[in-house]
């Protein structure tokens, strides 16, 4: 059942993104940024945790999960270090994911021939 829930949750998030692409003039970059902001907002109001509990990886892997992790990291660091945590908490909480993205992007650039699209 966990696989089905993850598939449904991730599918719903993808469908929302596709609707934004098809029905608005927003660029994909703005839509992706909107997903991160939505994750932060939903975490801040306490709604994202139940969604992540139900959807598992379907909720935590997409960009909404990244936004949720940013919000959790900031909240944790602010409670421990005060207002300095606003600047350090998000990066501390997501450092592993950011590092993996940079590393795998670099490795892909070494393996494949990067170039401009024509």
């Amino acid at each position: 059942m966990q696989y089905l829930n993850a598939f449904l949750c991730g599918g719903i998030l993808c469908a929302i993104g596709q609707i934004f692409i098809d029905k608005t003039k927003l660029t994909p970059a703005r839509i992706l940024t909107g997903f991160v902001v939505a994750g932060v907002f939903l975490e801040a109001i306490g709604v994202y945790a139940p969604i992540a509990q139900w959807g598992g990886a379907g909720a935590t892997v997409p960009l909404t999960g990244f936004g949720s992790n940013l919000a959790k990291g900031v909240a944790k660091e602010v409670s421990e270090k005060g207002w300095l945590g606003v600047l350090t908490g998000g990066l501390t909480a997501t450092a592993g994911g950011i590092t993996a993205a940079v590393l795998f992007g670099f490795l892909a650039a070494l393996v494949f021939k990067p170039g401009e699209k024509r």
Side-chain angles (χ1 to χ4, degrees):
M1 196 65 182
Q2 290 177 339
Y3 293 122
L4 179 63
N5 289 349
F7 178 77
L8 289 173
C9 186
I12 290 168
L13 290 172
C14 289
I16 291 169
Q18 190 63 48
I19 290 168
F20 278 124
I21 288 172
D22 292 343
K23 301 292 182 186
T24 68
K25 293 183 180 181
L26 293 172
T27 63
R30 289 185 177 173
I31 294 168
L32 295 175
T33 304
F35 274 124
V36 174
V37 172
V40 170
F41 177 74
L42 292 173
E43 183 65 39
I45 63 172
V47 175
Y48 201 77
I51 295 171
Q53 180 70 29
W54 171 76
T60 58
V61 172
L63 285 172
T64 51
F66 180 74
S68 171
N69 282 336
L70 284 172
K72 281 191 247 181
V74 168
K76 178 182 175 199
E77 290 290 315
V78 166
S79 68
E80 292 176 4
K81 297 181 181 176
W83 284 104
L84 182 63
V86 171
L87 302 174
T88 62
L91 289 176
T92 302
T94 58
I98 294 170
T99 303
V102 170
L103 176 66
F104 289 123
F106 175 73
L107 292 176
L110 289 178
V111 173
F112 301 101
K113 182 179 176 186
E116 292 183 22
K117 285 187 173 183
R118 294 181 182 192

